[in-house]
Amino acid sequence: MKIPFVDLKAQYLSIKKDIDLAIQAVINDSAFIKGKYVKTFEEEYARLYDVKNVISCANGTDAIYITLKALGIGIGDEVITVANSWISTSETISQTGAKPIFVDIHPEYFTIDTNKIESKITSNTKAIIPVHLFGHPVEMTKIIDICRKHNLYLIEDCAQAHFATWDGKKVGTMGIAGTFSFFPGKNLGAYGDAGAIISNNDEFSIKARMYANHGALVKHEHEIEGINSRLDGMQASILSSKLPYILDWSSKRLEVALLYNEMLSDCEKIKLPQIHGSAKHVFHLYVIRSEDRNGLQIFLKEKGISTGIHYPNPLPFLKAYSYLNLKPSDFPISFDYKDKILSLPIYPEMSKAQIKYVAENIKKYFN
């Protein structure tokens, strides 16, 4: 049996008519840049997310960068974020002229360890960017308290956690802004790069929209210098066609994860992902840990099972951040886990037979 890491074609075939009509509509109207399809998606996403403002942009990386720039973060500032994430989270901090300050991960949930944040705060700290990694929300109650206590901006990186919740509150709605990626493999994915910022703060939202559109809200009336970061009409229309299905897809991802948990519960050679009691996990990724990760990955590949590693090197140990002179002992959990974590296939269309095949082969390897 061949099992892909993610099956985007299966998703397309399940809603083929919707997708085809969405693409054809944009072509018929020649609405390729901005226009009604972008406006419609922003309104629909705002309504489903129950937020006042959605500022679409070209990709999830831009979403973070635009947010930081709209908040005036720059040279001399520091922004705290997590040690294990995709580089978008930290490189955008550096691109503003600010300095990324890394914090180790929680040993069970892979998200930022909230108990280690305050020791990293200085007089230069301006914001915290928690990452709702793999679809599991960060412990937001404590993050919110820390931000209020130290008067810091809270920016939520929700690239892997569309519609996940903490204590019943959707991720992205608990700070000044939430940033999203709609990269094709995400839980809500376009057919190319796409991103968005959500916020209930109108003043911030105006600044962010302006910065993303060459510093102008009205064409040719540039109030500041900005960048060109626009969601194109084709991607907006595709995302609108997928939006009615996203909550059901999230439920099915959870079903897949829980079935993995059930089938692998008796395998003592691996550690299964945990879910905090206050969290609604949307399982963008299903990540296990094993002391024999590399051997297991090779064996699964031989059996036709695709896997991934997210991420092979925590951010502090990338060459890009060698200038910070950070050590493994500074981030013991992230460093320890980098050779143990393995992401198994997970997508809403996975069948019970596919899940069973993956689980059986994992147990077969260790037996």
Side-chain angles (χ1 to χ4, degrees):
M1 187 183 294
K2 294 283 187 182
I3 301 181
F5 185 66
V6 61
D7 194 341
L8 297 181
K9 187 174 182 180
Q11 184 187 81
Y12 166 67
L13 292 175
S14 73
I15 55 168
K16 183 178 185 299
K17 184 177 179 180
D18 295 341
I19 296 291
D20 291 351
L21 288 173
I23 293 171
Q24 191 61 55
V26 176
I27 295 171
N28 291 344
D29 291 339
S30 297
F32 301 114
I33 300 294
K34 299 183 75 172
K36 68 178 184 180
Y37 295 102
V38 173
K39 185 174 186 293
T40 295
F41 172 69
E42 289 184 343
E43 291 171 349
E44 291 173 343
Y45 200 63
R47 187 160 50 248
L48 190 58
Y49 227 96
D50 195 25
V51 291
K52 291 171 67 177
N53 303 289
V54 172
I55 304 99
S56 60
C57 56
N59 53 69
T61 305
D62 280 3
I64 304 171
Y65 178 70
I66 291 163
T67 297
L68 291 166
K69 292 295 288 185
L71 293 173
I73 290 170
I75 296 172
D77 295 334
E78 294 177 354
V79 178
I80 292 172
T81 194
V82 69
N84 193 41
S85 179
W86 180 241
I87 195 171
S88 294
T89 313
S90 54
E91 70 182 352
T92 48
I93 296 169
S94 300
Q95 287 161 2
T96 68
K99 180 182 178 181
I101 303 297
F102 298 111
V103 175
D104 206 2
I105 61 173
H106 190 283
E108 293 296 340
Y109 309 119
F110 300 105
T111 53
I112 192 168
D113 189 335
T114 55
N115 294 315
K116 297 179 179 178
I117 291 176
E118 285 198 274
S119 65
K120 300 293 183 82
I121 295 174
T122 72
S123 60
N124 295 322
T125 307
K126 294 296 186 293
I128 301 176
I129 306 181
V131 181
H132 303 295
L133 199 69
F134 306 154
H136 191 293
V138 174
E139 186 186 352
M140 291 305 295
T141 306
K142 189 159 186 177
I143 293 261
I144 291 167
D145 289 344
I146 291 171
C147 287
R148 286 174 178 166
K149 178 181 176 181
H150 297 277
N151 194 29
L152 304 175
Y153 289 120
L154 172 54
I155 304 162
E156 298 178 67
D157 184 341
C158 311
Q160 299 184 3
H162 310 69
F163 297 95
T165 65
W166 176 266
D167 272 344
K169 297 176 183 177
K170 296 185 185 73
V171 299
T173 65
M174 290 171 269
I176 185 73
T179 66
F180 291 82
S181 167
F182 303 119
F183 183 79
K186 294 295 194 284
N187 290 20
L188 180 64
Y191 285 175
D193 273 322
I197 304 161
I198 66 172
S199 180
N200 285 312
N201 185 300
D202 292 336
E203 183 180 355
F204 161 80
S205 298
I206 290 170
K207 290 179 181 177
R209 190 176 296 281
M210 186 183 297
Y211 192 81
N213 190 45
H214 294 291
L217 295 177
V218 178
K219 192 172 184 178
H220 303 307
E221 296 182 14
H222 307 278
E223 298 183 34
I224 59 172
E225 290 182 327
I227 62 172
N228 176 21
S229 182
R230 298 177 295 205
L231 176 64
D232 71 65
M234 191 74 75
Q235 305 307 336
S237 188
I238 289 166
L239 288 168
S240 286
S241 72
K242 289 187 173 188
L243 201 53
Y245 302 97
I246 182 60
L247 299 183
D248 181 55
W249 287 341
S250 295
S251 295
K252 288 179 177 176
R253 284 178 175 274
L254 180 58
E255 289 175 11
V256 173
L258 294 179
L259 197 50
Y260 268 138
N261 284 355
E262 180 184 326
M263 292 181 175
L264 292 169
S265 61
D266 59 347
C267 185
E268 297 179 356
K269 295 294 186 178
I270 62 173
K271 299 290 185 182
L272 303 179
Q274 302 297 303
I275 306 175
H276 192 284
S278 296
K280 177 186 174 184
H281 199 327
V282 293
F283 279 98
H284 173 61
L285 296 171
Y286 183 91
V287 182
I288 63 172
R289 305 197 311 275
S290 171
E291 297 287 343
D292 190 12
R293 188 270 310 279
N294 293 343
L296 175 61
Q297 186 176 40
I298 291 169
F299 179 80
L300 293 177
K301 184 178 180 180
E302 291 171 351
K303 298 298 181 180
I305 301 168
S306 297
T307 59
I309 299 173
H310 301 84
Y311 297 96
N313 282 302
L315 295 171
F317 311 128
L318 294 174
K319 186 177 180 181
Y321 299 106
S322 59
Y323 71 96
L324 294 174
N325 297 314
L326 299 171
K327 307 181 297 296
S329 57
D330 297 327
F331 310 94
I333 305 299
S334 297
F335 187 77
D336 178 53
Y337 282 10
K338 73 182 181 68
D339 297 320
K340 297 177 180 177
I341 51 176
L342 185 67
S343 304
L344 302 183
I346 187 167
Y347 43 92
E349 299 79 17
M350 276 192 85
S351 67
K352 187 173 182 178
Q354 289 176 309
I355 300 164
K356 184 179 180 182
Y357 181 75
V358 175
E360 286 180 343
N361 275 286
I362 290 172
K363 289 190 280 190
K364 184 183 294 184
Y365 175 75
F366 288 113
N367 288 337

